[in-house]
């Protein structure tokens, strides 16, 4: 779960672009069922610069590659890479964690306070604008982080 924000016209453009990345996963399509009881979503974003042959090999692999199920972040990564390759000046890469820090499995006691009394990650020495609690493990870290750094999170 996540959120993307923007003007309606640009969000519709983004969705149309994502739809252009989608490929049917022949392994999942037969499982989709009928009507409101459909099974897993059967389309997947083909990664940036991946050939059709490599795509078919990945889907047919035993066991199948984990990313051959729908992954919104894979779609977004491909979009960002294509825009950057096209030198779109509106695309910014956050190479050092200034904008966003993905918590992942980093435990709350790892973080410190900077001179401005903001939480930061010692590995980057950055206090990001957005903290991304992105998986079940780190979702459990949200309350301890709020308790450790009162007033830092909304």
């Amino acid at each position: 779960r996540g959120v993307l924000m923007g003007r309606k016209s640009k969000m519709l453009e983004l969705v149309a672009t994502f739809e252009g990345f989608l490929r049917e996963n022949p392994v999942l399509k037969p499982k989709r069922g009928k009507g409101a009881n459909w099974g897993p979503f059967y389309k997947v974003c083909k990664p940036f610069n991946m050939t059709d042959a490599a795509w078919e090999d990945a889907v047919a692999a035993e066991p199948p590659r984990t990313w051959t199920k729908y992954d919104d972040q894979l779609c977004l990564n491909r979009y960002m890479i294509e825009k950057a390759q096209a030198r779109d000046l509106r695309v910014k890469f956050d190479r050092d964690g200034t904008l966003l820090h993905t918590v992942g499995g980093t435990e709350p006691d790892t973080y410190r306070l900077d001179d401005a009394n903001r939480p930061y990650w010692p590995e980057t020495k950055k206090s990001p604008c957005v903290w991304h609690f992105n998986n079940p493990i780190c979702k459990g870290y949200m309350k301890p982080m709020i308790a450790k750094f009162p007033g830092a999170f909304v």
Side-chain angles (χ1 to χ4, degrees):
R1 295 184 178 119
V3 65
L4 294 173
M5 294 173 48
R7 293 189 318 270
K8 180 181 174 183
S9 61
K10 291 297 179 185
M11 294 307 297
L12 291 173
E13 186 180 302
L14 179 69
V15 169
T17 301
F18 277 20
E19 286 177 344
F21 298 159
L22 295 175
R23 299 292 181 271
E24 287 186 4
N25 180 326
V27 175
L28 294 177
K29 189 171 182 179
K31 296 178 183 175
R32 71 180 188 183
K34 295 181 181 179
N37 294 320
W38 279 19
F41 185 61
Y42 64 97
K43 291 189 175 183
V44 182
C45 286
K46 187 170 96 172
F48 176 74
N49 270 352
M50 179 175 261
T51 66
D52 288 339
W55 162 252
E56 290 165 10
D57 288 346
V59 171
E62 285 298 329
R65 304 297 184 265
T66 57
W67 55 263
T68 58
K69 294 181 180 174
Y70 180 74
D71 182 344
D72 60 332
Q73 292 185 18
L74 180 61
C75 289
L76 185 58
N77 284 335
R78 177 173 170 179
Y79 177 82
M80 296 294 287
I81 292 167
E82 286 185 6
K83 289 292 187 180
Q85 187 178 48
R87 305 224 184 270
D88 185 328
L89 297 177
R90 295 174 298 163
V91 172
K92 307 291 182 225
F93 280 105
D94 183 24
R95 292 186 173 109
D96 63 359
T98 299
L99 299 175
L100 175 96
H101 172 67
T102 300
V103 174
T106 308
E107 298 203 15
D109 62 357
T110 305
Y111 299 101
R112 305 283 180 261
L113 284 174
D114 67 11
D115 293 339
N117 213 31
R118 299 173 303 200
Y120 77 95
W121 189 34
E123 294 290 322
T124 61
K125 309 282 190 276
K126 298 286 182 171
S127 178
C129 298
V130 176
W131 292 72
H132 185 202
F133 293 85
N134 62 316
N135 64 42
I137 294 169
C138 69
K139 289 196 186 317
Y141 297 160
M142 290 174 77
K143 287 183 181 177
M145 289 285 287
I146 291 167
K148 183 174 180 176
F149 304 108
F153 298 99
V154 177

